[in-house]
Amino acid sequence: MGYINPLLQLSSGKALQDLPPEDRARIRAVLVDLRRQANDLAEEAWRRRKGPMAAYWRAVATYARHLAHALRPKTKDPHG
């Protein structure tokens, strides 16, 4: 992803990574779809000159992205 996910600094964010892989995959799928829908709503709000709603929906999309990335399948550490 190219940056440190700020949600993983929270105990709740770390707890997401301890969920069973099947649960993580289902939740991640919902969050990916939420991100897409929120981005669409942000664009629509921006077109309608509704800046505060555009900012709100963009923030929802950002949080959904961070959460979805936290739920990605765990990778094996090549160093050990």
Side-chain angles (χ1 to χ4, degrees), residues 11-71:
S11 59
S12 299
K14 292 174 185 170
L16 287 172
Q17 297 187 307
D18 292 332
L19 293 172
E22 301 81 20
D23 293 344
R24 290 165 54 122
R26 284 193 296 270
I27 296 168
R28 186 172 187 275
V30 170
L31 290 168
V32 167
D33 195 43
L34 174 64
R35 178 181 182 221
R36 184 192 54 76
Q37 290 179 45
N39 274 327
D40 290 347
L41 289 170
E43 290 299 319
E44 177 62 24
W46 190 251
R47 279 193 294 276
R48 296 179 68 205
R49 308 280 195 271
K50 305 290 184 183
M53 286 309 298
Y56 170 80
W57 287 117
R58 192 66 73 200
V60 169
T62 299
Y63 288 126
R65 178 178 183 233
H66 285 295
L67 287 164
H69 279 280
L71 291 165

